Structures are given as structure tokens and as C-alpha cells.
């Protein structure tokens, strides 16, 4: 049985002092040992959030990471920095990174390999636009994202990864894919992983749904056989995140 992983993606929100206050507010609300709870926070918030989360069940993730250990890459954050700060997860290939900062499947793959090299769990994002869904090419597009993203990743590494399916048309729009739509794509992503590796790897990997997840939609979504939690945006910045984590 795969343990649910529910991650909050704070995006470009929360100053360091606001972040600590939010963690202290949410700590008792997200205390659910049956779920892996991850706060993925802006780079400047990583250290204060990691400090504030000590002694709780909250694990801390970064929202991005470069694919080199160090060097002349102004403004980037390296895996060595994340490891030293006690960071366990990193979001890679979010659609906003792909759209606004020209990330490609190939750069996401480099980051995936580097994350595994340093023992950081990647949350690799994939998802289609509304136009692609209407054209009927959703899985063609997502399969390419997954296959390129996992190129060179071993089966043992892949078993520990998290894939977040986020239909771009449902991110921050208030629209949510129907439970059936979300389950169908997550099922097909798992089938794609089985093609790349084997059934055991496909059974082990955790696949989240993201895209306007809230306390009302979470129970039905997380009850689906191929949905192993959520990557939550705006709702993770509010006390309601506790209701999502305690969805049962």
C-alpha cells in the first residue's frame, strides 16, 4: 500500500517571518502520521521553515534546484545547499517553471538525475494544456514528459520518486479535473512507468494530483486507486490545508 504524500507548493508567497508563522499555525493541523506532509517553499524560506518544522511530521522541500553542485550560476540553488539545509524534497518541472523560465524535458531530466545523486526526492510535474486536452493528445504529451524526465533513472531510484500530474488548465483557476479525468491520467502515467521499468516499479511510485485541490475535492481524489496524494497550491497557505491532509 503506497503511503499518501500531500505537498504544499507555496510558489512565490510568504516572507521568512510569515513562513514561520504559517508553519506554527499549521503544525498541529497537519499532524497525521498516515500521510507524508511536505511544505515546498521559496528558497529564502527553506532554512527558517526547516527550523520551525523541527519535531513535527512536516518535511521540507524546495521549489526548484539547479543540475550542478556549484559554480557560476547566479541566482540558482544547488543540491549541496539543499542537503546541508536538511531539505528532503524538490519540485521539478512545474508548468510555471516550464512556461515562464523555459525549462524543458531535458533540463528537468538533468535535475532529476542530480536530485537522486544527492538523495533528494524529486516531485516531477507533468500535465497538459487545455488546448492539448481538447486536441486529444493529453497522454502523448505527458508520456513524453515522463519518458524524457526519467531517462537514465534506475528502477530503484524511480520507486522513490513522486510524479505530480497537474493539468495546466486547472492550476490556480478554480477548475479541477473531474475525479475520473484525474484517475485516468494517473493510471496511464503508472502504465507508462511500467513500460519504462516493470510492474514493481509502477506499483511503488507515488503519483499525486494537483490543480485547485481543496478540502472538498480531496477525499474523492485521494480515494482513487492511482492517486497517491496531492500537490496543493493556494490551499496550502491556509488553515484548510489541515483538512486536506486529514481528508478521511
Amino acid at each position: 500500500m503506497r503511503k499518501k504524500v500531500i505537498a504544499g507548493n507555496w510558489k512565490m508567497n510568504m516572507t521568512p517571518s510569515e513562513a514561520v508563522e504559517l508553519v506554527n499555525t499549521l503544525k498541529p493541523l497537519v499532524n497525521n502520521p498516515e500521510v507524508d506532509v511536505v511544505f515546498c517553499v521559496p528558497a529564502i524560506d527553506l532554512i527558517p521553515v526547516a527550523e520551525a518544522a523541527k519535531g513535527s511530521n512536516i518535511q521540507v522541500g524546495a521549489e526548484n534546484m539547479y543540475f550542478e553542485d556549484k559554480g557560476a550560476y547566479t541566482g540558482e540553488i544547488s543540491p549541496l545547499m539543499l542537503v546541508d539545509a536538511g531539505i528532503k524534497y524538490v519540485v521539478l518541472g512545474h508548468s510555471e517553471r516550464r512556461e515562464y523560465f523555459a525549462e524543458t524535458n531535458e533540463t528537468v531530466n538533468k535535475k532529476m538525475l542530480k536530485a537522486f545523486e544527492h538523495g533528494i526526492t524529486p516531485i516531477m510535474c507533468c500535465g497538459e494544456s487545455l488546448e492539448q486536452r481538447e486536441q486529444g493528445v493529453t497522454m502523448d504529451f505527458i508520456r513524453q514528459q515522463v519518458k524524457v524526465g526519467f531517462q537514465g533513472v534506475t528502477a530503484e531510484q524511480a520507486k522513490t520518486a513522486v510524479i505530480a500530474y497537474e493539468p495546466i488548465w486547472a492550476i490556480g483557476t478554480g477548475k479541477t479535473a473531474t475525479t475520473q479525468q484525474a484517475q485516468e491520467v494517473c493510471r496511464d502515467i503508472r502504465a507508462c512507468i511500467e513500460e519504462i521499468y516493470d510492474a514493481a516499479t509502477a506499483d511503488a511510485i507515488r503519483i499525486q494530483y494537483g490543480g485547485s485541490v481543496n478540502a472538498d475535492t480531496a477525499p474523492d481524489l485521494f480515494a482513487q486507486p492511482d492517486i497517491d496524494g496531492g500537490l496543493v497550491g493556494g490551499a496550502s497557505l491556509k488553515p484548510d490545508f489541515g483538512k486536506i491532509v486529514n481528508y478521511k
Side-chain angles (χ1 to χ4, degrees), residues 74-127:
T74 301
E76 291 293 332
I77 188 166
S78 83
L80 293 178
M81 296 171 185
L82 298 182
V83 170
D84 192 63
I87 305 308
K88 304 297 185 186
Y89 288 80
V90 62
V91 177
L92 299 177
H94 192 279
S95 62
E96 291 157 3
R97 296 290 316 171
R98 295 176 190 261
E99 181 180 356
Y100 304 139
F101 304 103
E103 290 208 357
T104 65
N105 292 337
E106 289 73 22
T107 56
V108 170
N109 175 243
K110 288 181 180 181
K111 293 179 180 188
M112 290 278 287
L113 295 172
K114 185 58 73 170
F116 284 120
E117 182 184 324
H118 290 281
I120 303 169
T121 300
I123 300 175
M124 196 204 86
C125 300
C126 58

Side-chain angles (χ1 to χ4, degrees), residues 8-83:
N9 178 18
W10 289 13
K11 307 192 179 184
M12 197 177 72
N13 294 293
M14 295 289 146
T15 64
S17 58
E18 289 171 339
V20 170
E21 185 179 351
L22 180 60
V23 170
N24 288 331
T25 298
L26 288 175
K27 267 196 286 195
L29 304 178
V30 300
N31 186 15
N32 182 352
E34 296 180 9
V35 172
D36 284 338
V37 180
V38 187
F39 289 0
C40 299
V41 307
I44 198 169
D45 295 340
L46 287 169
I47 291 173
V49 166
E51 281 294 316
K54 279 183 177 173
S56 75
N57 65 316
I58 297 166
Q59 300 179 76
V60 184
E63 296 181 13
N64 186 34
M65 180 197 80
Y66 198 55
F67 50 75
E68 298 288 355
D69 289 344
K70 58 184 175 181
Y73 306 106
T74 301
E76 291 293 332
I77 188 166
S78 83
L80 293 178
M81 296 171 185
L82 298 182
V83 170

Side-chain angles (χ1 to χ4, degrees), residues 174-179 209 211-224 227 232 235 244 247:
K175 295 180 181 177
T176 309
T178 66
T179 302
Y209 171 75
S212 301
V213 175
N214 58 46
D216 292 330
T217 59
D220 282 347
L221 286 165
F222 300 166
Q224 301 307 303
I227 299 178
V232 184
I244 296 173
Y247 61 93

